[in-house]
Amino acid sequence: MPHPTAGRFLQNALHRAGITARPDGDSGSDYIAVPVGDHGVIRIGGVTGRAKENEIHYHPSEHQGWGAVYHPDTRNDDSHFTEFYQSTNPALVQDTAHVVKAVQNIITGR
């Protein structure tokens, strides 16, 4: 059985909300990726400026907040993005519910 992580908790919450999401990342960060449209993506990771910045694979009790950005067209310009959610809420359940709602709003254009 895999160890529980904050990222797994977030991914499960997104799936329960009907949102396709998967863990992703590169040499400098780990995040949850949510595809939006043909070429856009939302990336969610630990909040900027905190000890778990750009991380998702940490124990749930170490949660310090989620941060989320929307890249409207990663095919043509990965550097253009909008930061739409930054939290410092250490309550994983509450913070995750808020970021899921924010993601739903981006997907539906609200």
Side-chain angles (χ1 to χ4, degrees):
M1 173 180 272
H3 296 299
T5 66
R8 172 57 61 195
F9 186 86
L10 171 60
Q11 188 176 0
N12 290 341
L14 289 163
H15 283 287
R16 282 191 306 275
I19 298 169
T20 300
R22 63 179 168 71
D24 203 347
D26 54 33
S27 63
S29 65
D30 290 315
Y31 50 84
I32 298 291
V34 177
V36 180
D38 290 335
H39 306 290
V41 67
I42 292 170
R43 294 183 176 137
I44 309 166
V47 72
T48 302
R50 298 289 181 173
K52 299 299 180 187
E53 178 178 354
N54 297 322
E55 294 182 40
I56 59 171
H57 301 296
Y58 55 85
H59 193 274
S61 66
E62 297 174 311
H63 185 68
Q64 297 178 5
W66 293 122
V69 296
Y70 171 53
H71 297 263
D73 189 354
T74 58
R75 181 187 59 168
N76 293 318
D77 183 6
D78 195 39
S79 67
H80 177 72
F81 62 89
T82 301
E83 181 179 76
F84 67 92
Y85 187 84
Q86 287 292 314
S87 171
T88 56
N89 185 346
L92 179 63
V93 173
Q94 183 182 27
D95 193 29
T96 299
H98 289 151
V99 77
V100 168
K101 182 65 173 170
V103 167
Q104 288 173 320
N105 288 342
I106 292 293
I107 291 170
T108 61
R110 289 185 267 153

